[in-house]
Amino acid sequence: MVAEQGGPEDQKPQSDEAHSAFVPPTGVEQPTAPPEDDHPTSEFALPAGLHTDPSASSGPGSASGPGGGPGSDTLTSAFVPPSGYTAQHQPPAFTPAHGIPMVRLTKEAPWQDRMRTMLRMPVTERPAPESVQRTDDSGPAVPRVLDLTLRIGELLLAGGEGAEDVEAAMFAVTRSYGLDRSEPTVTFTLLSISYQPSLVDDPVTASRTVRRRGTDYTRLAAVFRLIDDITTAEHVEVSLEEAYRRLAEIRRNRHPYPGWVLTASAGLLAGSASVLVGGGVLVFLVAAAGAMLGDRLAWLCAGRGLPEFYQFTAAAMPPAAMGIALTLTHSTDVRPSAVITGGLFALLPGRALVAGVQDGLTGYYLTAGARLLEVMYFFIGIVAGVLLMLYLGVQLGAQLNPEARFIADDRPVLQILASMALTFAFAILLQQERSTVLAVTLNGGVAWIIYGAMARTGGISPVAATAVAAGLVGLFGQLFSRYRYTSSLPYITAAIGPLLPGSATYFGLLGVAQNEVNDGLTSLFTAVATALAIAIGVNLGSEISRLFMRVPGAVEGPSRRAAKRTRGF
């Protein structure tokens, strides 16, 4: 008879080889959970007992599904916003250990200074956004705000405004409509702006190309008024629809002066410049006639679609031809050189030169290089037109004297009046508002008085005297613009007209035409140095005005930051 198996008394004890070294001995309470080695998990798995929001795990980018419960491996993207996060109600940003300096943006200061201060700050130190224009609960319409910003920047850049001022205007518009994380970028022909709602959202980028440029300071002033209303809405509220409507009206507005007034202004400018360098009544009339003829010829070339290079070449030929015709008459009372110089005054691209040098001084080197290259092409076009006429005059036997440095010292009152008339005509050509013409005319007269007192009476270098006079022009232009809360260009550009190097340019071209290359290049270098002195002086005067005026910024330390450069390291 075989005994039944299975009883505890009949079982044999297990051997030592059947036990693991980590198994508790008999009589010790056994663990309830299985060993960890039997169920391997990720070290990033949620611990048991921790519950998550089921809505967060079901969103896009989450790997919820089978096995997606607590304690399972959950694969999510690093860019998925955490649960409870919204772009309208953002958590406070990270604060460094040393703190962030407080920045006061006073509403009394012009928006240009306030936004320029913001742009020159690091992104982490910018103050909290202050949305001026109200939006609905869903937030601002980002594509429409960016499009409006680009259209405003296009008008400013096409009107000759500097790259830093255009960026400040674009930043002011986006910030006023609640898009504080926006970064505008301005080059010579391309405007772009990027907005990132948060650190975990994809950025939105838009761009616009500037293909046509035109000089209309009336339109420029209207754009500045629109930006001022958008950024300071205590007295007026500008919605997106209202801003679009006003911008469309600005673009549709006709120029304030008809074409015949512009042609007459070109003649007045050339005649005044000829009197400024020693001409008489006959010289005034001949120079005015040559400039008006050149202006109409340039309009004809523009209507046929020719580039601006050929327009400048065509406009430079009639004044030079009339000067040579006066030389062939052998009249001793007429100075043909004054006629040609007056025509050059009406063509020299002073506006583009000042804008190019200003962009270079403020750190926008790509835009500055493009602007200066444009100035060089215009200058070469003028040189080609004048040299063609001068070579023709030499072949015909015209006696052009490059040694006749014709500056009259015995009629300062007449020259001051001529400088003011030149500035007045220049302001009309720039399509300025009628309310700004008188101020810029007085500014041009003051510039010539300073130049004459230093260069003629004091015997100081003409280049240095030009730089000082241009600096005062920039200083007074900034004062006028701050008083009117508008751009400084209408108060500066026309005022530098009497300081342009027309005579030095003419004598340089005449020396090259008569095969006196060394003397000609010396005069041309003098003209370039004078032009650079004008541009640097204007920029320095503007910076000095901002330096001593109340500008919003940090309570402690410098209020207007610029880039720090090492000394060659």
Side-chain angles (χ1 to χ4, degrees), residues 115-121 126 164 167-168 171 183-184:
M115 295 303 112
R116 190 181 291 110
T117 302
M118 295 285 297
L119 288 174
R120 294 184 179 185
M121 284 183 181
R126 290 175 181 173
E164 187 180 29
E167 282 195 1
F171 190 76
E183 289 296 333

Side-chain angles (χ1 to χ4, degrees), residues 172-429:
V173 174
T174 55
R175 189 176 176 85
S176 299
Y177 284 107
L179 307 185
D180 58 301
R181 294 188 182 92
S182 61
E183 289 296 333
T185 303
V186 176
T187 59
F188 184 59
T189 58
L190 181 64
L191 297 168
S192 64
I193 187 168
S194 178
Y195 169 69
Q196 189 171 12
S198 66
L199 296 177
V200 294
D201 289 333
D202 296 331
V204 181
T205 304
S207 62
R208 194 172 183 87
T209 303
V210 180
R211 303 190 182 277
R212 293 190 61 184
R213 299 178 183 273
T215 304
D216 190 344
Y217 283 177
T218 300
R219 180 179 297 175
L220 191 68
V223 176
F224 266 75
R225 284 193 293 268
L226 174 59
I227 300 173
D228 185 65
D229 290 341
I230 292 175
T231 54
T232 56
E234 285 83 1
H235 58 286
V236 61
E237 181 180 351
V238 184
S239 62
L240 280 175
E241 290 73 15
E242 177 67 15
Y244 267 106
R245 185 190 63 80
R246 290 180 57 178
L247 192 62
E249 290 180 355
I250 293 173
R251 298 179 69 95
R252 287 196 302 264
N253 282 346
R254 299 177 60 88
H255 297 304
Y257 307 105
W260 66 269
V261 174
L262 299 180
T263 301
S265 299
L268 177 61
L269 193 155
S272 302
S274 64
V275 174
L276 200 64
V277 295
V281 176
L282 181 59
V283 171
F284 177 89
L285 296 176
V286 175
M292 288 189 290
L293 183 59
D295 181 77
R296 287 292 92 189
L297 191 59
W299 276 98
L300 180 62
C301 294
R304 296 297 183 270
L306 292 178
E308 287 184 297
F309 176 87
Y310 301 106
Q311 298 176 28
F312 274 84
T313 302
M317 294 173 65
M322 288 194 170
I324 293 172
L326 286 179
T327 303
L328 294 177
T329 60
H330 303 285
S331 176
T332 58
D333 298 333
V334 178
R335 296 187 178 185
S337 300
V339 176
I340 302 176
T341 302
L344 290 176
F345 266 91
L347 295 176
L348 291 178
R351 174 182 59 86
L353 175 67
V354 171
V357 175
Q358 181 180 0
D359 287 342
L361 294 176
T362 52
Y364 295 84
Y365 302 112
L366 181 62
T367 307
R371 288 185 188 271
L372 293 178
L373 186 62
E374 180 188 42
V375 171
M376 186 189 72
Y377 272 103
F378 291 164
F379 189 77
I380 292 176
I382 297 171
V383 167
V386 175
L387 277 181
L388 182 62
M389 293 295 100
L390 290 180
Y391 277 124
L392 181 61
V394 170
Q395 297 300 322
L396 294 177
Q399 300 296 325
L400 299 172
N401 185 13
E403 300 297 330
R405 305 295 182 182
F406 44 70
I407 298 296
D409 298 330
D410 55 346
R411 43 181 199 173
V413 177
L414 181 60
Q415 289 182 338
I416 293 173
L417 294 178
S419 66
M420 296 177 67
L422 188 153
T423 306
F424 174 81
F426 204 171
I428 299 299
L429 288 175

Side-chain angles (χ1 to χ4, degrees), residues 74 145 171 174 198 201 271 297 313 342 471 474 482 491 526 530 548 555:
T74 304
V145 173
F171 190 76
T174 55
S198 66
D201 289 333
L297 191 59
T313 302
R482 287 169 178 271
Y491 302 99
T526 302
T530 303
F548 291 101
V555 177

Side-chain angles (χ1 to χ4, degrees), residues 526-551:
T526 302
V528 172
T530 303
L532 292 178
I534 293 173
I536 295 174
V538 167
N539 181 263
L540 183 60
S542 301
E543 294 296 326
I544 289 176
S545 68
R546 299 192 187 105
L547 182 64
F548 291 101
M549 289 183 176
R550 182 182 180 184
V551 178

Side-chain angles (χ1 to χ4, degrees), residues 420-554:
M420 296 177 67
L422 188 153
T423 306
F424 174 81
F426 204 171
I428 299 299
L429 288 175
L430 293 175
Q431 304 279 0
Q432 293 190 196
E433 292 181 308
R434 292 177 174 85
S435 59
T436 64
V437 172
L438 178 60
V440 72
T441 300
L442 296 176
N443 202 10
V446 171
W448 182 258
I449 291 173
I450 299 299
Y451 171 80
M454 295 182 64
R456 311 286 177 78
T457 306
I460 302 176
S461 170
V463 176
T466 301
V468 173
L472 290 177
V473 167
L475 177 61
F476 293 150
Q478 282 293 329
L479 293 176
F480 283 127
S481 66
R482 287 169 178 271
Y483 177 73
R484 299 290 298 271
Y485 282 80
T486 184
S487 173
S488 60
L489 289 181
Y491 302 99
I492 290 177
T493 307
I496 65 173
L499 305 176
L500 292 175
S503 59
T505 303
Y506 163 71
F507 284 120
L509 297 179
L510 181 58
V512 173
Q514 293 183 342
N515 204 20
E516 298 178 0
V517 181
N518 292 332
D519 295 338
L521 291 179
T522 301
S523 295
L524 289 178
F525 285 147
T526 302
V528 172
T530 303
L532 292 178
I534 293 173
I536 295 174
V538 167
N539 181 263
L540 183 60
S542 301
E543 294 296 326
I544 289 176
S545 68
R546 299 192 187 105
L547 182 64
F548 291 101
M549 289 183 176
R550 182 182 180 184
V551 178

